[in-house]
Amino acid sequence: MTSTGMNMMSRIVFYEDRNFQGRSYECMSDCADMSSYLSRCHSCRVESGCFMVYDRTNYMGNQYFMRRGEYADYMSMMGMRDCIRSCRMIPMYRGSYRMRIYERENFGGQMYELMDDCDNIMDRYRMSNCMSCNVMDGHWLMYEQPHFRGRMMYFRPGEYRSFMNMGMGGMRFMSMRRIMDSCY
């Protein structure tokens, strides 16, 4: 590792009980199913980097963004109803950000290109729904409510033709934010 953080390794430590008690499991990359390492997970410490954690295995269910810090009882802090079951490491990215959002599935309807955060797509674009997107550059968080509130979902570069088919139960996205190096 270098002192500049350019080659920084991401590291998160999960604990079975609140306040960093019980068995622990250290993770430095993606983990699709934590059940073979811990029977439950009620606290964690992000030592470096950023992660998305999920309340179901295989990166499914509700998602939560975790940056460097201590989460002694994240279930009450974040309103989680269930334990963490999987996690995904978000790689550090330094470059331009570009994403196209579409009103309908399969890149249909109105299209707008974003290169910065958008706290309300209705106010900025008069767009009442966002049903698909194409992330060309960068890593993004999309939120179900304006002003970066409510449930969120992590998007890395790729095509997302239908949010309905991604197991989000009809979740609508109304704001989006770039995951910048200041998050690390």
Side-chain angles (χ1 to χ4, degrees):
M1 276 195 279
T2 65
S3 59
T4 62
M6 289 298 286
N7 296 324
M8 178 180 65
M9 292 289 273
S10 295
R11 181 187 325 246
I12 188 170
V13 182
F14 298 99
Y15 298 87
E16 283 191 330
D17 300 319
R18 290 170 178 79
N19 299 313
F20 318 110
Q21 300 297 306
R23 289 188 343 178
S24 65
Y25 170 65
E26 183 177 299
C27 188
M28 295 170 54
S29 62
D30 297 352
C31 180
D33 186 358
M34 292 179 25
S35 63
S36 58
Y37 306 107
L38 299 174
S39 60
R40 63 190 179 278
C41 176
H42 289 286
S43 60
C44 67
R45 180 179 286 128
V46 179
E47 295 180 359
S48 58
C50 295
F51 290 82
M52 289 305 291
V53 297
Y54 303 80
D55 63 6
R56 291 179 33 207
T57 59
N58 297 313
Y59 320 111
M60 300 295 287
N62 292 311
Q63 304 182 21
Y64 303 89
F65 177 70
M66 302 275 205
R67 68 179 74 205
R68 186 180 178 136
E70 294 187 342
Y71 303 86
D73 183 7
Y74 66 81
M75 291 180 76
S76 63
M77 287 174 22
M78 300 178 141
M80 285 184 80
R81 290 176 292 236
D82 204 355
C83 297
I84 294 173
R85 300 288 184 207
S86 57
C87 76
R88 177 162 275 154
M89 189 266 301
I90 301 173
M92 182 177 278
Y93 175 79
R94 293 193 178 155
S96 61
Y97 288 77
R98 210 163 54 120
M99 173 173 59
R100 290 184 179 146
I101 57 173
Y102 297 86
E103 182 180 35
R104 293 198 295 268
E105 294 179 306
N106 294 312
F107 313 125
Q110 292 180 354
M111 181 278 294
Y112 295 99
E113 187 167 300
L114 284 79
M115 297 178 76
D116 59 357
D117 299 349
C118 176
D119 67 350
N120 190 329
I121 63 171
M122 184 65 183
D123 288 351
R124 185 184 289 185
Y125 302 117
R126 300 291 177 244
M127 190 174 181
S128 62
N129 213 352
C130 175
M131 298 296 291
S132 58
C133 75
N134 182 3
V135 176
M136 283 88 75
D137 297 304
H139 298 260
W140 297 76
L141 291 174
M142 294 176 70
Y143 297 82
E144 71 177 339
Q145 297 173 17
H147 308 291
F148 318 114
R149 298 192 187 282
R151 293 182 302 167
M152 67 182 74
M153 186 158 189
Y154 167 57
F155 289 86
R156 54 189 177 183
E159 292 184 346
Y160 301 88
R161 294 186 168 278
S162 173
F163 297 156
M164 296 294 281
N165 294 336
M166 294 174 64
M168 297 183 303
M171 187 169 151
R172 294 173 39 172
F173 294 110
M174 299 306 293
S175 57
M176 31 299 282
R177 171 179 281 164
R178 298 163 295 165
I179 301 174
M180 308 277 292
D181 61 351
S182 60
C183 295
Y184 297 85

